[in-house]
Amino acid sequence: MKNSSNALVLYFSLTDNTKRAANTIAEITGADIEMLRLEEPYSDDYTEAAKRAEQEKDQQIIPELKPLKHQLNDYETIYLGFPTWWYQPPMVIHTFLLNINFLDKRLYRSLPVLVVQLRQVPKY
């Protein structure tokens, strides 16, 4: 469902840190929000999840995403949140970026930094 702000927060989070930042951005901007979900989710065991993620990175494995509930064509602004693993985005973000056309979109990433910036903007 499209919101009046014409913005969508998409995020991937394994430990909920990015999820908290994404929820804050959605609250501040009035944007819709959705988590990027894998067809084969990571293990709830952090060590196992980290092993898989490192293997995906080392072997350039692009994991499959579940279809989004929101239609990206309905939005002009996309806030994309993700953790940094081994100095780069998780491979799930590569999957997303390889399959999306952002030609007519504004894309913002690095949600924790954006949260700080948006909180500093005066409200009128």
Side-chain angles (χ1 to χ4, degrees), residues 53 56-58 60 82-91 94:
E56 289 172 350
K57 174 191 66 79
D58 291 346
Q60 295 295 293
F82 51 86
T84 300
W85 295 348
W86 300 282
Y87 308 103
Q88 69 178 32
M91 294 307 289
H94 292 263

Side-chain angles (χ1 to χ4, degrees), residues 27-119:
E27 182 181 314
I28 291 170
T29 63
D32 290 335
I33 188 167
E34 183 171 349
M35 181 174 174
L36 296 171
R37 298 181 191 282
L38 292 169
E39 284 290 344
E40 184 184 326
Y42 286 106
S43 170
D44 289 335
D45 178 85
Y46 184 82
T47 303
E48 288 300 315
K51 283 180 190 176
R52 174 181 161 191
E54 188 170 24
Q55 180 183 21
E56 289 172 350
K57 174 191 66 79
D58 291 346
Q59 297 177 15
Q60 295 295 293
I61 296 169
I62 307 291
E64 234 179 289
L65 283 172
K66 288 186 176 184
L68 294 173
K69 296 175 184 172
H70 293 86
Q71 296 296 318
L72 294 184
N73 290 337
D74 292 342
Y75 299 93
E76 292 176 8
T77 302
I78 308 291
Y79 298 97
L80 182 61
F82 51 86
T84 300
W85 295 348
W86 300 282
Y87 308 103
Q88 69 178 32
M91 294 307 289
V92 63
I93 299 303
H94 292 263
T95 303
F96 175 72
L97 293 174
L98 286 171
N99 292 297
I100 301 302
N101 178 0
F102 286 105
L103 191 57
D104 61 344
K105 310 277 183 232
R106 284 182 301 228
L107 177 65
Y108 298 94
R109 58 178 195 81
S110 190
L111 293 188
V113 172
L114 192 56
V115 167
V116 172
Q117 292 170 344
L118 285 173
R119 284 187 172 158

